[in-house]
Coordinates of all heavy atoms in Angstrom, one line a residue:
A172 N -124.7 -179.9 11.0 CA -124.5 -179.3 12.3 C -123.4 -180.1 13.1 O -122.5 -179.6 13.7 CB -125.7 -179.1 13.1
D173 N -123.6 -181.4 13.1 CA -122.7 -182.3 13.8 C -121.2 -182.2 13.2 O -120.3 -182.1 14.0 CB -123.1 -183.8 13.6 CG -122.2 -184.7 14.4 OD1 -122.4 -184.8 15.6 OD2 -121.4 -185.4 13.7
W174 N -121.1 -182.1 11.9 CA -119.8 -181.9 11.3 C -119.2 -180.6 11.7 O -118.0 -180.5 12.0 CB -119.9 -182.0 9.7 CG -118.5 -182.0 9.1 CD1 -117.6 -183.0 8.9 CD2 -117.8 -180.8 8.7 NE1 -116.4 -182.5 8.4 CE2 -116.5 -181.2 8.3 CE3 -118.2 -179.4 8.7 CZ2 -115.6 -180.2 7.8 CZ3 -117.2 -178.5 8.2 CH2 -116.0 -178.9 7.7
I175 N -120.0 -179.5 11.6 CA -119.5 -178.2 11.9 C -119.0 -178.1 13.4 O -117.9 -177.6 13.6 CB -120.6 -177.1 11.7 CG1 -120.9 -177.0 10.2 CG2 -120.2 -175.8 12.3 CD1 -122.2 -176.2 9.9
I176 N -119.8 -178.7 14.3 CA -119.4 -178.6 15.7 C -118.2 -179.5 16.0 O -117.2 -179.1 16.7 CB -120.6 -179.0 16.6 CG1 -121.7 -177.9 16.4 CG2 -120.2 -179.0 18.1 CD1 -121.3 -176.5 16.8
N177 N -118.3 -180.7 15.6 CA -117.3 -181.7 16.0 C -116.0 -181.7 15.1 O -114.9 -181.5 15.6 CB -117.8 -183.1 16.0 CG -118.8 -183.4 17.1 OD1 -118.4 -183.5 18.2 ND2 -120.1 -183.5 16.8
D178 N -116.2 -181.8 13.8 CA -115.0 -181.9 12.9 C -114.4 -180.5 12.6 O -113.2 -180.4 12.7 CB -115.4 -182.5 11.6 CG -115.8 -184.0 11.7 OD1 -116.5 -184.3 12.7 OD2 -115.4 -184.8 10.9
W179 N -115.2 -179.5 12.3 CA -114.6 -178.2 12.0 C -114.3 -177.4 13.3 O -113.3 -176.9 13.4 CB -115.6 -177.4 11.1 CG -115.1 -176.1 10.7 CD1 -114.2 -175.8 9.6 CD2 -115.3 -174.8 11.4 NE1 -113.9 -174.5 9.6 CE2 -114.5 -173.9 10.7 CE3 -116.0 -174.4 12.5 CZ2 -114.5 -172.5 11.0 CZ3 -115.9 -173.1 12.9 CH2 -115.2 -172.2 12.2
G180 N -115.3 -177.4 14.2 CA -115.1 -176.6 15.4 C -114.3 -177.3 16.5 O -113.8 -176.6 17.4
G181 N -114.2 -178.6 16.4 CA -113.4 -179.3 17.5 C -114.0 -179.3 18.8 O -113.4 -179.5 19.9
I182 N -115.4 -179.1 18.9 CA -116.1 -179.1 20.2 C -116.7 -180.5 20.4 O -117.8 -180.7 20.0 CB -117.2 -178.0 20.2 CG1 -116.6 -176.6 19.8 CG2 -117.9 -177.9 21.5 CD1 -117.7 -175.5 19.7
H183 N -115.9 -181.3 21.0 CA -116.3 -182.7 21.2 C -117.1 -182.9 22.5 O -117.7 -184.0 22.7 CB -115.1 -183.6 21.2 CG -114.3 -183.5 19.9 ND1 -114.8 -183.9 18.7 CD2 -113.0 -183.1 19.7 CE1 -113.8 -183.7 17.8 NE2 -112.8 -183.2 18.4
S184 N -117.2 -181.9 23.3 CA -117.9 -182.0 24.6 C -119.4 -181.8 24.4 O -120.2 -182.1 25.3 CB -117.3 -181.0 25.6 OG -117.5 -179.7 25.1
L185 N -119.8 -181.2 23.3 CA -121.3 -180.9 23.1 C -122.0 -182.2 22.7 O -121.8 -182.8 21.7 CB -121.4 -179.8 22.0 CG -122.9 -179.4 21.8 CD1 -123.4 -178.6 23.0 CD2 -123.0 -178.4 20.6
K186 N -123.0 -182.5 23.5 CA -123.8 -183.8 23.3 C -125.2 -183.4 22.9 O -125.9 -184.2 22.2 CB -123.7 -184.7 24.5 CG -122.3 -185.1 25.0 CD -121.5 -185.8 23.9 CE -120.1 -186.1 24.4 NZ -119.3 -186.7 23.3
D187 N -125.7 -182.3 23.4 CA -127.1 -181.9 23.2 C -127.2 -180.9 22.1 O -126.7 -179.7 22.3 CB -127.7 -181.4 24.5 CG -129.2 -181.1 24.4 OD1 -129.7 -181.3 23.3 OD2 -129.8 -180.6 25.3
F188 N -127.7 -181.2 21.0 CA -127.8 -180.3 19.8 C -129.2 -179.7 19.8 O -129.6 -179.1 18.8 CB -127.5 -181.0 18.5 CG -126.1 -181.2 18.2 CD1 -125.3 -182.0 19.0 CD2 -125.5 -180.6 17.2 CE1 -123.9 -182.2 18.7 CE2 -124.1 -180.7 16.9 CZ -123.3 -181.6 17.7
G189 N -130.0 -179.8 20.9 CA -131.3 -179.3 20.9 C -131.5 -177.8 20.5 O -132.3 -177.4 19.7
K190 N -130.6 -177.0 21.1 CA -130.7 -175.5 20.9 C -130.3 -175.2 19.4 O -130.9 -174.3 18.8 CB -129.8 -174.8 21.9 CG -130.4 -174.8 23.3 CD -129.5 -174.0 24.2 CE -130.0 -174.0 25.6 NZ -129.1 -173.2 26.6
I191 N -129.3 -175.9 19.0 CA -128.8 -175.7 17.6 C -129.9 -176.1 16.6 O -130.2 -175.4 15.6 CB -127.5 -176.5 17.3 CG1 -126.4 -175.9 18.1 CG2 -127.2 -176.5 15.8 CD1 -125.1 -176.7 18.1
N192 N -130.6 -177.2 16.8 CA -131.7 -177.6 15.9 C -132.8 -176.6 15.9 O -133.4 -176.4 14.9 CB -132.2 -179.0 16.4 CG -131.1 -180.1 16.2 OD1 -130.2 -180.0 15.4 ND2 -131.2 -181.2 17.0
I193 N -133.1 -176.0 17.1 CA -134.1 -175.0 17.2 C -133.7 -173.8 16.4 O -134.5 -173.2 15.7 CB -134.4 -174.7 18.7 CG1 -135.1 -175.8 19.4 CG2 -135.3 -173.4 18.8 CD1 -135.3 -175.7 20.9
D194 N -132.4 -173.4 16.5 CA -131.9 -172.2 15.7 C -132.1 -172.4 14.2 O -132.6 -171.5 13.5 CB -130.5 -172.0 16.0 CG -130.2 -171.5 17.4 OD1 -131.1 -171.0 18.1 OD2 -129.1 -171.6 17.9
I195 N -131.8 -173.6 13.8 CA -132.0 -173.9 12.3 C -133.5 -173.8 11.9 O -133.8 -173.2 10.9 CB -131.4 -175.3 12.0 CG1 -129.9 -175.3 12.2 CG2 -131.7 -175.7 10.5 CD1 -129.3 -176.7 12.1
K196 N -134.3 -174.4 12.8 CA -135.8 -174.3 12.5 C -136.2 -172.9 12.5 O -137.0 -172.5 11.7 CB -136.5 -175.2 13.5 CG -138.0 -175.3 13.2 CD -138.7 -176.2 14.2 CE -140.1 -176.5 13.8 NZ -140.9 -175.2 13.7
N197 N -135.8 -172.1 13.5 CA -136.2 -170.7 13.6 C -135.7 -169.9 12.3 O -136.4 -169.0 11.9 CB -135.6 -170.0 14.8 CG -136.3 -170.5 16.1 OD1 -137.5 -170.9 16.0 ND2 -135.7 -170.3 17.2
F198 N -134.6 -170.3 11.8 CA -134.1 -169.6 10.6 C -135.1 -169.8 9.4 O -135.4 -168.8 8.7 CB -132.7 -170.2 10.2 CG -132.2 -169.7 8.8 CD1 -131.7 -168.4 8.7 CD2 -132.3 -170.6 7.7 CE1 -131.3 -168.0 7.4 CE2 -131.9 -170.1 6.5 CZ -131.4 -168.9 6.3
Y199 N -135.6 -171.0 9.3 CA -136.5 -171.2 8.2 C -137.9 -170.7 8.5 O -138.7 -170.3 7.6 CB -136.6 -172.7 7.8 CG -135.3 -173.2 7.1 CD1 -134.4 -173.9 7.8 CD2 -135.1 -172.9 5.8 CE1 -133.2 -174.4 7.2 CE2 -133.9 -173.3 5.2 CZ -133.0 -174.1 5.9 OH -131.8 -174.5 5.3
D200 N -138.3 -170.7 9.8 CA -139.6 -170.2 10.2 C -139.7 -168.7 10.0 O -140.8 -168.2 9.8 CB -139.8 -170.5 11.7 CG -140.2 -171.9 11.9 OD1 -140.5 -172.6 10.9 OD2 -140.2 -172.4 13.1
K201 N -138.6 -168.0 10.1 CA -138.7 -166.5 10.1 C -139.3 -166.0 8.7 O -139.9 -164.9 8.7 CB -137.3 -165.9 10.3 CG -136.3 -166.0 9.2 CD -135.0 -165.3 9.5 CE -134.0 -165.4 8.4 NZ -132.8 -164.7 8.7
K202 N -139.1 -166.8 7.7 CA -139.6 -166.3 6.4 C -141.2 -166.4 6.4 O -141.8 -165.7 5.6 CB -139.0 -167.2 5.3 CG -137.5 -167.1 5.1 CD -137.0 -168.0 4.1 CE -135.5 -167.9 4.0 NZ -134.9 -168.9 3.0
Q203 N -141.7 -167.3 7.2 CA -143.1 -167.4 7.3 C -143.8 -166.6 8.3 O -144.8 -166.0 8.1 CB -143.5 -168.9 7.5 CG -143.1 -169.9 6.4 CD -143.5 -171.3 6.7 OE1 -144.0 -171.6 7.8 NE2 -143.3 -172.2 5.7
I204 N -143.1 -166.5 9.5 CA -143.8 -165.7 10.6 C -143.3 -164.2 10.6 O -143.9 -163.4 11.3 CB -143.4 -166.3 12.0 CG1 -141.9 -166.3 12.3 CG2 -143.9 -167.8 12.0 CD1 -141.6 -166.8 13.6
G205 N -142.3 -163.9 9.8 CA -141.9 -162.5 9.7 C -141.1 -162.0 10.9 O -141.0 -160.8 11.1
K206 N -140.6 -162.9 11.7 CA -139.8 -162.5 12.8 C -138.5 -163.4 12.9 O -138.6 -164.6 12.8 CB -140.6 -162.6 14.1 CG -139.8 -162.2 15.4 CD -140.6 -162.4 16.7 CE -139.7 -162.1 17.9 NZ -140.5 -162.2 19.1
D207 N -137.4 -162.8 13.2 CA -136.2 -163.6 13.3 C -135.9 -163.8 14.8 O -135.4 -162.9 15.5 CB -135.0 -162.8 12.7 CG -133.7 -163.7 12.6 OD1 -133.7 -164.8 13.2 OD2 -132.7 -163.2 12.0
K208 N -136.2 -165.0 15.3 CA -136.1 -165.3 16.8 C -134.6 -165.3 17.1 O -134.2 -165.3 18.3 CB -136.8 -166.6 17.1 CG -138.3 -166.5 17.0 CD -138.9 -167.8 17.4 CE -140.4 -167.8 17.4 NZ -141.1 -169.0 17.7
I209 N -133.7 -165.5 16.1 CA -132.3 -165.6 16.4 C -131.8 -164.3 16.9 O -130.8 -164.2 17.6 CB -131.6 -166.0 15.1 CG1 -132.0 -167.5 14.7 CG2 -130.0 -166.0 15.3 CD1 -131.5 -167.9 13.4
N210 N -132.5 -163.2 16.6 CA -132.1 -161.9 17.1 C -132.2 -161.8 18.6 O -131.5 -161.0 19.2 CB -133.0 -160.8 16.5 CG -132.7 -160.4 15.1 OD1 -131.5 -160.7 14.6 ND2 -133.6 -159.9 14.4
D211 N -132.9 -162.7 19.2 CA -133.1 -162.7 20.7 C -132.0 -163.4 21.4 O -132.0 -163.4 22.7 CB -134.5 -163.3 21.1 CG -135.7 -162.5 20.4 OD1 -135.5 -161.3 20.3 OD2 -136.7 -163.1 20.2
L212 N -131.1 -164.1 20.7 CA -130.1 -164.9 21.4 C -129.2 -164.0 22.2 O -128.7 -163.0 21.8 CB -129.3 -165.7 20.4 CG -130.0 -166.7 19.6 CD1 -129.0 -167.4 18.6 CD2 -130.7 -167.7 20.5
K213 N -128.9 -164.4 23.5 CA -128.0 -163.7 24.4 C -126.6 -164.2 24.2 O -126.3 -165.3 23.8 CB -128.5 -163.9 25.8 CG -129.9 -163.3 26.1 CD -129.9 -161.8 26.0 CE -131.3 -161.3 26.4 NZ -131.4 -159.8 26.2

């Protein structure tokens, strides 16, 4: 995630990866809970 945001995306101002880490966790959780929480992102 750090490489994608900083090196590939050139977004050097982002310091808090909390939401991104949650998105990744939700991606793997959806297979177990049967719901894709990423669908709720605004």
Side-chain angles (χ1 to χ4, degrees):
D173 182 78
W174 183 87
I175 292 166
I176 295 300
N177 288 289
D178 292 42
W179 184 84
I182 305 176
H183 303 296
S184 59
L185 184 65
K186 304 302 180 185
D187 184 2
F188 280 68
K190 291 181 179 178
I191 291 173
N192 294 335
I193 291 173
D194 290 340
I195 295 173
K196 188 176 185 303
N197 284 338
F198 170 76
Y199 289 104
D200 282 349
K201 72 178 181 179
K202 298 176 182 179
Q203 295 183 356
I204 66 176
K206 180 183 178 182
D207 189 354
K208 293 182 179 179
I209 294 169
N210 283 336
D211 299 329
L212 296 182
K213 298 293 184 181

